[in-house]
Amino acid sequence: MKTAITELFGIQHPMIQGGMHYVGFAELAAAVSNAGGLGIITGLTQKTPELLAKEIARCRDMTDKPFGVNLTFLPSFTAPPYPEYIAAIREGGVKAVETAGRSPEQYMPALKAAGIKVIHKCTSVRHSLKAEKIGCDAVSVDGFECGGHPGEDDIPNMILLPRAADELKIPFVASGGMADARSLVAALSMGAAGMNMGTRFIATREAPVHPNVKKALVEASELDTVLVMRALRNTERVLKNKSVDHLLEIEREKGAALKIADIHEQVAGVYPKVMLDGEMDAGAWSCGMVVGLIYDIPTVKELIDRIMAEAEHIIRRRLTGFLDGVVTPKAAKVA
Ligand SMILES: Cc1cc2nc3c(=O)[nH]c(=O)nc-3n(C[C@H](O)[C@H](O)[C@H](O)COP(=O)(O)O)c2cc1C
């Protein structure tokens, strides 16, 4: 399949693995890239630019295909040394960067000078248009369903994607709620040139996280995520657990007066405990509603090949079947 996204990044399939804290290590990024998608190393999971340089080199040892790095611009007072992280990306020969969080505007000249393609993750049409204006090559349009930070507008992808298609000139991928071939074909129908998946890629054999995390994803349903930190305007969609129940109690108690310090125990330093040690109740960790569509733990290649085969089946058989007057049963499973 060829789309504006496969051409932009020089990849075989229009599928990106979004940056994920303590999940997006070289093993997962390389597996996604080797399977024909665009794998992404999560930049800030590496505590220093030197460590990121090593992680890029490790990924390069595992794949000769293009891969990217995620740079999340946090609303913090003690900002990480972004110029040094960008230098590590440039010197590592990485040609794709997924930016997220705050606008990457001040770093665009450095990224562009290094010939890096920038895809910015946005949760609204207005932020997507800003990304286009400042020279981003593409946008990852992240709907309300998404794992992680859906923003504060609460617009699901059924509306957000066609709205983005109506406004944007640069290509975009659909992000949030994407799990399978049905997601991909729907995203393409609504004007996207591919899809970005987070949660789905955690439940793969190569994702270098504790087996408890993958088990939790297979067992959870679409009813098992919840939004936290709304009062701080830093809304995050997370998987429900004991620690999140406690966090929600504190949020109810404090109301609009909630401060980040009130929930420090439930949100700070949680990721290594959950992802590496498998302590599933250690705190709040991002998870998308799409968890309800995760039934298995395939290899990344099995997942991507299955998506592409079933997408072809949906397009060639189910959809054209309607035009030809052949009513096929519900969406495709390729035997
Ligand atoms: C465990 C987890 C950690 C994440 N960490 C980050 C991150 O550090 N930076 C970022 O830009 N997005 C992060 N995301 C968001 C993903 O890149 C992606 O946009 C999102 O998962 C898409 O929604 P989905 O989970 O429904 O596929 C994270 C998502 C998950 C599930």
Side-chain angles (χ1 to χ4, degrees):
M1 189 182 284
K2 220 182 219 191
T3 73
I5 287 295
T6 59
E7 299 315 283
L8 181 66
F9 294 115
I11 53 178
Q12 195 186 350
H13 307 305
M15 244 179 279
I16 300 178
Q17 165 248 317
M20 287 179 281
H21 201 34
Y22 278 89
V23 181
F25 293 100
E27 287 80 2
L28 181 60
V32 173
S33 290
N34 282 331
L38 185 72
I40 305 263
I41 293 171
T42 315
L44 297 188
T45 298
Q46 303 302 321
K47 291 209 162 49
T48 64
E50 293 73 28
L51 287 172
L52 177 59
K54 284 194 185 139
E55 195 66 8
I56 290 170
R58 240 167 42 81
C59 196
R60 179 104 35 238
D61 283 345
M62 289 184 245
T63 184
D64 54 7
K65 301 268 171 55
F67 61 89
V69 172
N70 167 284
L71 271 185
T72 302
F73 297 109
L74 301 163
S76 75
F77 293 107
T78 47
Y82 289 113
E84 283 86 344
Y85 275 97
I86 290 171
I89 292 166
R90 188 188 61 229
E91 284 155 26
V94 174
K95 293 293 177 207
V97 164
E98 177 197 53
T99 53
R102 297 198 153 185
S103 167
E105 186 165 9
Q106 80 180 100
Y107 303 105
M108 287 303 289
L111 292 165
K112 292 279 94 187
I116 291 169
K117 305 284 185 218
V118 179
I119 179 162
H120 187 51
K121 193 151 50 193
C122 301
T123 56
S124 70
V125 173
R126 65 186 183 284
H127 291 145
S128 303
L129 284 170
K130 175 80 196 296
E132 178 175 277
K133 192 164 162 221
I134 64 172
C136 291
D137 300 278
V139 178
S140 203
V141 174
D142 214 19
F144 182 54
E145 307 89 331
C146 73
H149 295 272
E152 310 303 326
D153 291 348
D154 303 354
I155 310 295
N157 267 334
M158 206 73 188
I159 307 298
L160 193 58
L161 297 174
R163 278 287 298 126
D166 286 344
E167 301 274 346
L168 285 174
K169 291 185 200 71
I170 56 175
F172 66 96
V173 295
S175 178
M178 305 286 128
D180 54 31
R182 295 168 298 187
S183 323
L184 177 60
V185 177
L188 297 172
S189 302
M190 287 189 274
M195 69 176 176
N196 178 64
M197 298 195 294
T199 306
R200 172 67 266 202
F201 275 124
I202 307 176
T204 57
R205 296 256 289 279
E206 293 92 337
V209 300
H210 196 283
N212 289 354
V213 180
K214 301 179 192 186
K215 186 165 167 276
L217 294 179
V218 171
E219 285 173 359
S221 86
E222 64 276 20
L223 303 175
D224 290 327
T225 74
V226 70
L227 298 176
V228 297
M229 293 193 283
R230 181 119 268 188
L232 300 173
R233 292 190 64 77
N234 186 29
T235 301
E236 182 180 1
R237 184 178 298 285
V238 300
L239 192 67
K240 288 180 190 167
N241 62 28
K242 286 197 192 98
S243 176
V244 169
D245 288 345
H246 188 200
L247 192 164
L248 291 171
E249 255 170 52
I250 299 170
E251 289 195 342
R252 272 192 296 274
E253 229 171 72
K254 302 274 175 183
L258 182 77
K259 303 259 178 319
I260 187 79
D262 299 325
I263 54 170
H264 192 264
E265 195 185 316
Q266 288 78 30
V267 298
V270 164
Y271 275 79
K273 289 185 207 155
V274 173
M275 297 300 174
L276 307 182
D277 305 335
E279 288 177 37
M280 301 315 297
D281 290 316
W285 56 280
S286 296
C287 178
M289 282 179 169
V290 74
V291 71
L293 292 171
I294 297 177
Y295 309 111
D296 59 358
I297 306 171
T299 67
V300 168
K301 184 166 164 41
E302 282 164 357
L303 176 65
I304 289 184
D305 285 351
R306 179 168 83 196
I307 291 173
M308 293 315 297
E310 291 184 3
E312 183 169 350
H313 184 88
I314 294 173
I315 296 165
R316 287 197 201 280
R317 304 278 298 279
R318 182 169 159 81
L319 298 183
T320 54
F322 291 137
L323 293 176
D324 296 341
V326 184
V327 179
T328 53
K330 56 178 193 176
K333 281 262 178 282
V334 174

